[in-house]
Amino acid sequence: MRHTVSSGQKEFTMMHAALSIWILSAVVCVGRSHHHLGHGQEETGQDTAVDPGTSSVSLVTSANKEFTYSLYRKLAAHADLQGKNIFFSPRSVSIALAALSVGARGETHGQLFSGLGFNSSLLTQANVDQAFHTILERSNKLSQEDTSEGTAVFMDNRFKPHPDFLEVLKQSYFSEGFNVDFTKTTDSANTINTYVAEKTKGKIDKLVENLDPNTVMYLISYIYFKGKWQTPFEPKLTKEEDFNVAENTKVPVQMMNMEEDVDIYHDLAINTSVLHLPFNSSYSMLLMLPNDMAELENAICPGHVSKWLKWMKSRTYDIFVPKFSIKNSYKLNDVLTQMGMTDMFGDRADLSGISEGQKLAVSEVVHQATLDVDEAGATATAATGIGITLLSFRHIPVLKFNRPFMVIIVDRITEDTLFIGKITNPNE
């Protein structure tokens, strides 16, 4: 489903070459039988200190966390997205905009830094580049098989960007570069789509549909994530149940079920129950079931995630989580403009760090994300311990995600959010 979250943008033709920034992420979360693995060890990659005791990595990571919830709230409040599922990768968006800032100058650069939450008095562009290099390197080292992220630049044959710009993208953002002929719109779109499909294991195969022949460059950021549950769901226990989309609206869903010791946090301050489902890596899925969705959306911040991960209590629960598969696409021009990143879209854009030969402006920032959650073929095992015995009088509480809930995929070590969203209707 494509949601256009932009309006009233001018088209720049003739004197203005169109610089299109496309931001891409995909996530596949599946549960497969797997032995319990530990949470892993935190890597201690050192970075040059910007301030005594504070590295650029920690400053950028902290800014990314704040950006996550700023962008989420803008999307949740958007008129076109009321009652809709929301799902995106804040990390993918921030990586693409940080890569763009390498070529931005003056007020355009200042707006990008400010919108991303980077404090320009503490962080230089070089600090940010080095931080993302460390973040991406750590991510790709941790789980080569199940996680891959990076960037790619597609440039028109006639366009000559600064070699320094391309070198920084290559070294810090692990960017691959390709030359295409954007006047051949179908061929160049196919080239980009083939690349994206390969990087996302076929999950996103049509990122680009309508190419502007005036395009001189596409900058793509992608994330592919595939998680296997530490404790998989048993497929035989999955059955159809109702999901309450709204007060008078129900839809049938395939509801997964598990009676296990799970980590739960009941956050009384915001009337929300939080379920922690770890993958067999340093990543986890947090599912948040609020009494009032608006209250949770307005309150949630990085401190909540830290608190939940730290103080979760493990006990036996009978949990019900729907299987779902969603695919969302957003045009973020309007939302990013609201966040102060205005000049890059208009004739005030200063992207002279990319190329000085012509007037460049960003025509579109598009983000696409997919999420699949299921039990994914866990090997059949005997369902012992599931039935009720008359001799057992202990009360096993039930936690059922049968109404709209929020979802976060987070690194337990760094508390960095890879993906965030809201599931209003699992069938959409």
Side-chain angles (χ1 to χ4, degrees):
M1 179 178 293
R2 164 66 70 85
H3 300 293
T4 300
V5 191
S6 180
S7 60
Q9 296 297 336
K10 295 180 181 177
E11 292 184 2
F12 292 88
T13 51
M14 295 172 63
M15 290 176 64
H16 303 287
L19 169 61
S20 291
I21 311 298
W22 284 69
I23 302 168
L24 158 75
S25 69
V27 60
V28 189
C29 304
V30 296
R32 288 201 171 88
S33 293
H34 206 284
H35 296 298
H36 180 93
L37 297 179
H39 288 186
Q41 300 299 316
E42 181 169 2
E43 293 195 4
T44 55
Q46 296 299 309
D47 191 26
T48 308
V50 181
D51 207 39
T54 307
S55 73
S56 58
V57 173
S58 64
L59 287 170
V60 167
T61 300
S62 177
N64 286 347
K65 291 173 186 175
E66 296 293 342
F67 176 75
T68 294
Y69 299 101
S70 297
L71 182 54
Y72 178 85
R73 273 188 268 276
K74 291 291 184 191
L75 287 171
H78 201 282
D80 292 347
L81 298 179
Q82 298 310 298
K84 304 286 187 187
N85 294 332
I86 294 173
F87 189 71
F88 68 97
S89 170
R91 184 143 109 187
S92 185
V93 177
S94 60
I95 286 170
L97 294 174
L100 176 65
S101 72
V102 173
R105 298 291 182 267
E107 184 64 19
T108 304
H109 185 273
Q111 289 175 0
L112 278 164
F113 251 46
S114 177
L116 287 166
F118 301 149
N119 186 332
S120 56
S121 64
L122 292 176
L123 286 168
T124 64
Q125 182 67 51
N127 293 145
V128 170
D129 299 339
Q130 179 57 43
F132 275 110
H133 173 88
T134 304
I135 290 166
L136 286 165
E137 190 174 49
R138 180 189 292 154
S139 170
N140 286 328
K141 263 186 194 169
L142 279 177
S143 182
Q144 208 70 43
E145 180 189 351
D146 293 337
T147 310
S148 70
E149 60 182 317
T151 60
V153 185
F154 294 84
M155 295 157 288
D156 191 81
N157 292 329
R158 301 155 299 161
F159 182 62
K160 298 293 180 244
H162 285 306
D164 289 351
F165 171 74
L166 295 181
E167 187 63 20
V168 172
L169 260 57
K170 180 182 174 184
Q171 296 299 330
S172 295
Y173 298 88
F174 296 88
S175 195
E176 296 182 275
F178 303 92
N179 286 100
V180 293
D181 183 353
F182 279 119
T183 61
K184 297 179 178 174
T185 54
T186 303
D187 289 350
S188 48
N190 287 340
T191 300
I192 295 170
N193 286 333
T194 299
Y195 176 87
V196 169
E198 181 187 322
K199 292 295 182 181
T200 62
K201 307 291 194 291
K203 294 302 295 183
I204 294 180
D205 54 5
K206 278 247 170 61
L207 177 69
V208 183
E209 292 180 10
N210 300 310
L211 259 182
D212 183 343
N214 293 315
T215 299
V216 294
M217 194 177 96
Y218 262 73
L219 173 61
I220 291 173
S221 170
Y222 62 86
I223 295 183
Y224 173 82
F225 173 78
K226 183 177 180 179
K228 299 170 186 168
W229 305 119
Q230 271 186 13
T231 305
F233 289 85
E234 170 57 62
K236 286 190 289 189
L237 297 178
T238 300
K239 54 174 91 65
E240 186 174 294
E241 290 201 21
D242 284 339
F243 186 94
N244 301 291
V245 174
E247 196 173 341
N248 298 312
T249 308
K250 295 181 179 183
V251 296
V253 298
Q254 289 296 305
M255 191 72 81
M256 304 185 295
N257 178 224
M258 178 194 300
E259 187 180 298
E260 289 281 348
D261 283 350
V262 290
D263 293 336
I264 301 277
Y265 188 97
H266 295 293
D267 199 324
L268 300 179
I270 53 175
N271 299 305
T272 296
S273 296
V274 184
L275 170 64
H276 174 219
L277 294 178
F279 298 108
N280 61 9
S281 63
S282 68
Y283 297 108
S284 287
M285 181 179 283
L286 296 176
L287 297 169
M288 292 143 285
L289 189 68
N291 288 353
D292 179 350
M293 180 61 76
E295 182 182 12
L296 171 62
E297 289 180 320
N298 290 327
I300 191 170
C301 68
H304 285 103
V305 174
S306 299
K307 178 175 72 172
W308 297 335
L309 289 173
K310 185 176 181 181
W311 298 110
M312 289 233 172
K313 293 284 186 284
S314 181
R315 65 165 294 181
T316 303
Y317 264 81
D318 193 11
I319 61 168
F320 294 82
V321 177
K323 291 171 66 168
F324 57 92
S325 179
I326 60 173
K327 186 171 188 172
N328 285 343
S329 185
Y330 307 102
K331 184 176 174 184
L332 298 176
N333 298 30
D334 203 28
V335 167
L336 296 177
T337 297
Q338 290 173 25
M339 296 174 75
M341 293 173 260
T342 55
D343 286 5
M344 64 182 183
F345 295 112
D347 54 9
R348 293 170 60 87
D350 184 351
L351 299 172
S352 54
I354 297 176
S355 176
E356 290 172 340
Q358 51 196 309
K359 183 70 175 169
L360 299 172
V362 175
S363 59
E364 284 191 336
V365 177
V366 173
H367 181 82
Q368 192 168 134
T370 72
L371 172 62
D372 297 311
V373 173
D374 63 14
E375 357 54 1
T379 33
T381 52
T384 52
I386 300 297
I388 299 169
T389 63
L390 293 176
L391 296 175
S392 173
F393 290 101
R394 65 187 184 130
H395 170 66
I396 298 178
V398 173
L399 183 60
K400 187 173 285 195
F401 287 79
N402 62 352
R403 62 178 192 270
F405 58 93
M406 279 187 69
V407 56
I408 291 176
I409 296 174
V410 65
D411 187 324
R412 290 188 300 274
I413 297 170
T414 64
E415 297 179 5
D416 194 15
T417 298
L418 286 188
F419 300 89
I420 185 170
K422 171 174 64 175
I423 310 303
T424 302
N425 183 345
N427 294 347
E428 271 193 356

